[in-house]
Amino acid sequence: MASSQPLVLITATQREMKAALKPWNLAPPPEGELAALSLPREGCWALVCGVGPINAGIAAGTALTALPEAGILNLGVAGSFDLERFPLGTVVTITEEIWPEYGLHTQQGLDPKGLAFAQARSAHGGIWDRISLDPEQAGQDMGLTVPDVARGRSLTVAGVSGHQGRAD
């Protein structure tokens, strides 16, 4: 993807989008509204999707329907299960996305293949409960340079861990 092609910044909340746009002193668009941004790079858009994986998926579909050739950059705030390695406020580039709740819950634990339906397919086969990401290649495809920041894995869940037992 050439840098002249559209780039959509997606965040879950207005507060996250406001932080992402702070260097340019731009206000976030209303939630659910795909809005063009006046940035040094042409063809940038913003979309505040709402909280949760369903809202994120709908937002990505909305963005790609309106801008089929767009790259999508998902930005946001997350917690940390390793506060020594990733203290709150650390900027992290994600190298693997994990969905720890997807699958068949059995007495032996969660079986991501137990439902027999992959969440998606790639050239490498079914995508069940995790996918490896290549930030450098994705950045290159979108005409972006990935910053030299911490690397880590991300968990997407439908609820927030409000106590240590849930986090464990």
mmCIF file of all heavy atoms in Angstrom, residues 136-163:
data_model
loop_
_atom_site.group_PDB
_atom_site.id
_atom_site.type_symbol
_atom_site.label_atom_id
_atom_site.label_comp_id
_atom_site.label_asym_id
_atom_site.label_seq_id
_atom_site.Cartn_x
_atom_site.Cartn_y
_atom_site.Cartn_z
ATOM 1 N N GLU A 136 6.268 -4.685 11.229
ATOM 2 C CA GLU A 136 7.109 -4.020 10.227
ATOM 3 C C GLU A 136 6.519 -4.150 8.829
ATOM 4 O O GLU A 136 6.457 -3.178 8.078
ATOM 5 C CB GLU A 136 8.546 -4.573 10.251
ATOM 6 C CG GLU A 136 9.395 -4.006 11.359
ATOM 7 C CD GLU A 136 8.965 -4.488 12.742
ATOM 8 O OE1 GLU A 136 8.526 -5.643 12.899
ATOM 9 O OE2 GLU A 136 9.064 -3.678 13.675
ATOM 10 N N GLN A 137 6.078 -5.350 8.481
ATOM 11 C CA GLN A 137 5.497 -5.548 7.151
ATOM 12 C C GLN A 137 4.194 -4.769 7.014
ATOM 13 O O GLN A 137 3.952 -4.127 5.990
ATOM 14 C CB GLN A 137 5.246 -7.035 6.865
ATOM 15 C CG GLN A 137 4.743 -7.300 5.461
ATOM 16 C CD GLN A 137 5.736 -6.872 4.396
ATOM 17 O OE1 GLN A 137 6.883 -7.303 4.405
ATOM 18 N NE2 GLN A 137 5.310 -6.012 3.484
ATOM 19 N N ALA A 138 3.352 -4.819 8.050
ATOM 20 C CA ALA A 138 2.094 -4.069 8.005
ATOM 21 C C ALA A 138 2.372 -2.576 7.879
ATOM 22 O O ALA A 138 1.724 -1.873 7.090
ATOM 23 C CB ALA A 138 1.263 -4.356 9.252
ATOM 24 N N GLY A 139 3.335 -2.075 8.645
ATOM 25 C CA GLY A 139 3.701 -0.668 8.549
ATOM 26 C C GLY A 139 4.205 -0.309 7.164
ATOM 27 O O GLY A 139 3.796 0.703 6.581
ATOM 28 N N GLN A 140 5.071 -1.149 6.622
ATOM 29 C CA GLN A 140 5.596 -0.916 5.277
ATOM 30 C C GLN A 140 4.456 -0.892 4.253
ATOM 31 O O GLN A 140 4.417 -0.039 3.368
ATOM 32 C CB GLN A 140 6.614 -1.992 4.918
ATOM 33 C CG GLN A 140 7.292 -1.785 3.587
ATOM 34 C CD GLN A 140 8.330 -2.868 3.320
ATOM 35 O OE1 GLN A 140 8.394 -3.896 3.992
ATOM 36 N NE2 GLN A 140 9.153 -2.636 2.327
ATOM 37 N N ASP A 141 3.519 -1.816 4.392
ATOM 38 C CA ASP A 141 2.377 -1.878 3.472
ATOM 39 C C ASP A 141 1.541 -0.605 3.523
ATOM 40 O O ASP A 141 0.900 -0.241 2.544
ATOM 41 C CB ASP A 141 1.480 -3.078 3.798
ATOM 42 C CG ASP A 141 2.137 -4.409 3.469
ATOM 43 O OD1 ASP A 141 3.186 -4.432 2.796
ATOM 44 O OD2 ASP A 141 1.599 -5.437 3.921
ATOM 45 N N MET A 142 1.538 0.072 4.682
ATOM 46 C CA MET A 142 0.741 1.291 4.846
ATOM 47 C C MET A 142 1.584 2.557 4.712
ATOM 48 O O MET A 142 1.103 3.658 4.957
ATOM 49 C CB MET A 142 0.034 1.277 6.207
ATOM 50 C CG MET A 142 -1.032 0.208 6.314
ATOM 51 S SD MET A 142 -1.965 0.289 7.862
ATOM 52 C CE MET A 142 -0.852 -0.488 9.015
ATOM 53 N N GLY A 143 2.861 2.402 4.348
ATOM 54 C CA GLY A 143 3.728 3.561 4.209
ATOM 55 C C GLY A 143 4.099 4.180 5.551
ATOM 56 O O GLY A 143 4.335 5.386 5.632
ATOM 57 N N LEU A 144 4.168 3.364 6.594
ATOM 58 C CA LEU A 144 4.477 3.841 7.938
ATOM 59 C C LEU A 144 5.775 3.217 8.438
ATOM 60 O O LEU A 144 6.126 2.109 8.048
ATOM 61 C CB LEU A 144 3.357 3.464 8.916
ATOM 62 C CG LEU A 144 1.955 3.966 8.609
ATOM 63 C CD1 LEU A 144 0.952 3.331 9.559
ATOM 64 C CD2 LEU A 144 1.917 5.484 8.699
ATOM 65 N N THR A 145 6.432 3.924 9.330
ATOM 66 C CA THR A 145 7.585 3.385 10.035
ATOM 67 C C THR A 145 7.125 3.012 11.437
ATOM 68 O O THR A 145 6.560 3.845 12.144
ATOM 69 C CB THR A 145 8.712 4.441 10.110
ATOM 70 O OG1 THR A 145 9.075 4.812 8.789
ATOM 71 C CG2 THR A 145 9.917 3.886 10.845
ATOM 72 N N VAL A 146 7.360 1.778 11.820
ATOM 73 C CA VAL A 146 6.961 1.315 13.142
ATOM 74 C C VAL A 146 7.994 1.829 14.141
ATOM 75 O O VAL A 146 9.197 1.628 13.961
ATOM 76 C CB VAL A 146 6.878 -0.230 13.184
ATOM 77 C CG1 VAL A 146 6.541 -0.722 14.574
ATOM 78 C CG2 VAL A 146 5.844 -0.711 12.174
ATOM 79 N N PRO A 147 7.536 2.504 15.203
ATOM 80 C CA PRO A 147 8.489 3.051 16.169
ATOM 81 C C PRO A 147 9.223 1.952 16.933
ATOM 82 O O PRO A 147 8.731 0.840 17.073
ATOM 83 C CB PRO A 147 7.606 3.881 17.112
ATOM 84 C CG PRO A 147 6.248 3.296 16.978
ATOM 85 C CD PRO A 147 6.147 2.761 15.580
ATOM 86 N N ASP A 148 10.414 2.288 17.397
ATOM 87 C CA ASP A 148 11.219 1.363 18.180
ATOM 88 C C ASP A 148 10.749 1.426 19.626
ATOM 89 O O ASP A 148 11.271 2.187 20.435
ATOM 90 C CB ASP A 148 12.702 1.731 18.072
ATOM 91 C CG ASP A 148 13.601 0.728 18.768
ATOM 92 O OD1 ASP A 148 13.156 -0.419 19.000
ATOM 93 O OD2 ASP A 148 14.742 1.097 19.100
ATOM 94 N N VAL A 149 9.701 0.658 19.920
ATOM 95 C CA VAL A 149 9.116 0.614 21.260
ATOM 96 C C VAL A 149 9.027 -0.844 21.708
ATOM 97 O O VAL A 149 9.359 -1.756 20.950
ATOM 98 C CB VAL A 149 7.704 1.268 21.286
ATOM 99 C CG1 VAL A 149 7.787 2.750 20.923
ATOM 100 C CG2 VAL A 149 6.742 0.543 20.358
ATOM 101 N N ALA A 150 8.553 -1.052 22.909
ATOM 102 C CA ALA A 150 8.398 -2.407 23.439
ATOM 103 C C ALA A 150 7.514 -3.246 22.519
ATOM 104 O O ALA A 150 6.644 -2.720 21.828
ATOM 105 C CB ALA A 150 7.784 -2.344 24.838
ATOM 106 N N ARG A 151 7.765 -4.543 22.512
ATOM 107 C CA ARG A 151 6.970 -5.500 21.744
ATOM 108 C C ARG A 151 6.260 -6.417 22.721
ATOM 109 O O ARG A 151 6.807 -6.770 23.761
ATOM 110 C CB ARG A 151 7.853 -6.352 20.817
ATOM 111 C CG ARG A 151 8.666 -5.550 19.826
ATOM 112 C CD ARG A 151 7.723 -4.837 18.887
ATOM 113 N NE ARG A 151 8.397 -3.872 18.073
ATOM 114 C CZ ARG A 151 8.509 -3.951 16.758
ATOM 115 N NH1 ARG A 151 8.009 -4.978 16.121
ATOM 116 N NH2 ARG A 151 9.097 -2.997 16.093
ATOM 117 N N GLY A 152 5.040 -6.820 22.360
ATOM 118 C CA GLY A 152 4.325 -7.722 23.243
ATOM 119 C C GLY A 152 3.118 -8.342 22.584
ATOM 120 O O GLY A 152 2.800 -8.057 21.427
ATOM 121 N N ARG A 153 2.461 -9.206 23.347
ATOM 122 C CA ARG A 153 1.238 -9.868 22.904
ATOM 123 C C ARG A 153 0.052 -9.129 23.492
ATOM 124 O O ARG A 153 0.146 -8.526 24.551
ATOM 125 C CB ARG A 153 1.223 -11.324 23.366
ATOM 126 C CG ARG A 153 2.368 -12.124 22.785
ATOM 127 C CD ARG A 153 2.338 -13.551 23.226
ATOM 128 N NE ARG A 153 2.502 -13.614 24.679
ATOM 129 C CZ ARG A 153 2.345 -14.710 25.382
ATOM 130 N NH1 ARG A 153 2.013 -15.835 24.819
ATOM 131 N NH2 ARG A 153 2.520 -14.693 26.691
ATOM 132 N N SER A 154 -1.068 -9.226 22.821
ATOM 133 C CA SER A 154 -2.295 -8.582 23.276
ATOM 134 C C SER A 154 -3.386 -9.632 23.433
ATOM 135 O O SER A 154 -3.469 -10.575 22.649
ATOM 136 C CB SER A 154 -2.734 -7.539 22.252
ATOM 137 O OG SER A 154 -3.996 -7.011 22.588
ATOM 138 N N LEU A 155 -4.223 -9.446 24.455
ATOM 139 C CA LEU A 155 -5.403 -10.278 24.644
ATOM 140 C C LEU A 155 -6.631 -9.433 24.359
ATOM 141 O O LEU A 155 -6.751 -8.316 24.870
ATOM 142 C CB LEU A 155 -5.515 -10.755 26.101
ATOM 143 C CG LEU A 155 -4.437 -11.662 26.653
ATOM 144 C CD1 LEU A 155 -4.689 -11.923 28.131
ATOM 145 C CD2 LEU A 155 -4.412 -12.966 25.901
ATOM 146 N N THR A 156 -7.529 -9.943 23.559
ATOM 147 C CA THR A 156 -8.817 -9.294 23.363
ATOM 148 C C THR A 156 -9.862 -10.126 24.083
ATOM 149 O O THR A 156 -10.024 -11.307 23.793
ATOM 150 C CB THR A 156 -9.157 -9.176 21.866
ATOM 151 O OG1 THR A 156 -8.226 -8.283 21.252
ATOM 152 C CG2 THR A 156 -10.568 -8.642 21.670
ATOM 153 N N VAL A 157 -10.525 -9.498 25.033
ATOM 154 C CA VAL A 157 -11.552 -10.176 25.818
ATOM 155 C C VAL A 157 -12.830 -9.353 25.787
ATOM 156 O O VAL A 157 -12.834 -8.195 25.392
ATOM 157 C CB VAL A 157 -11.090 -10.397 27.278
ATOM 158 C CG1 VAL A 157 -9.910 -11.356 27.331
ATOM 159 C CG2 VAL A 157 -10.726 -9.094 27.951
ATOM 160 N N ALA A 158 -13.902 -9.963 26.243
ATOM 161 C CA ALA A 158 -15.185 -9.281 26.240
ATOM 162 C C ALA A 158 -15.450 -8.558 27.551
ATOM 163 O O ALA A 158 -16.432 -7.837 27.682
ATOM 164 C CB ALA A 158 -16.321 -10.284 25.963
ATOM 165 N N GLY A 159 -14.583 -8.723 28.538
ATOM 166 C CA GLY A 159 -14.745 -8.060 29.813
ATOM 167 C C GLY A 159 -13.387 -7.710 30.396
ATOM 168 O O GLY A 159 -12.358 -8.257 29.993
ATOM 169 N N VAL A 160 -13.363 -6.816 31.342
ATOM 170 C CA VAL A 160 -12.133 -6.379 31.972
ATOM 171 C C VAL A 160 -11.881 -7.189 33.234
ATOM 172 O O VAL A 160 -12.812 -7.475 33.989
ATOM 173 C CB VAL A 160 -12.233 -4.861 32.328
ATOM 174 C CG1 VAL A 160 -10.992 -4.393 33.069
ATOM 175 C CG2 VAL A 160 -12.442 -4.050 31.056
ATOM 176 N N SER A 161 -10.633 -7.555 33.468
ATOM 177 C CA SER A 161 -10.270 -8.294 34.677
ATOM 178 C C SER A 161 -10.273 -7.332 35.856
ATOM 179 O O SER A 161 -9.380 -6.509 35.986
ATOM 180 C CB SER A 161 -8.872 -8.927 34.524
ATOM 181 O OG SER A 161 -8.873 -9.824 33.444
ATOM 182 N N GLY A 162 -11.278 -7.455 36.713
ATOM 183 C CA GLY A 162 -11.436 -6.552 37.843
ATOM 184 C C GLY A 162 -10.848 -7.069 39.136
ATOM 185 O O GLY A 162 -10.867 -6.377 40.150
ATOM 186 N N HIS A 163 -10.310 -8.295 39.129
ATOM 187 C CA HIS A 163 -9.676 -8.854 40.327
ATOM 188 C C HIS A 163 -8.592 -9.841 39.894
ATOM 189 O O HIS A 163 -8.589 -10.329 38.763
ATOM 190 C CB HIS A 163 -10.694 -9.515 41.257
ATOM 191 C CG HIS A 163 -11.447 -10.646 40.625
ATOM 192 N ND1 HIS A 163 -10.977 -11.926 40.609
ATOM 193 C CD2 HIS A 163 -12.638 -10.668 39.987
ATOM 194 C CE1 HIS A 163 -11.848 -12.705 39.981
ATOM 195 N NE2 HIS A 163 -12.861 -11.962 39.587
#
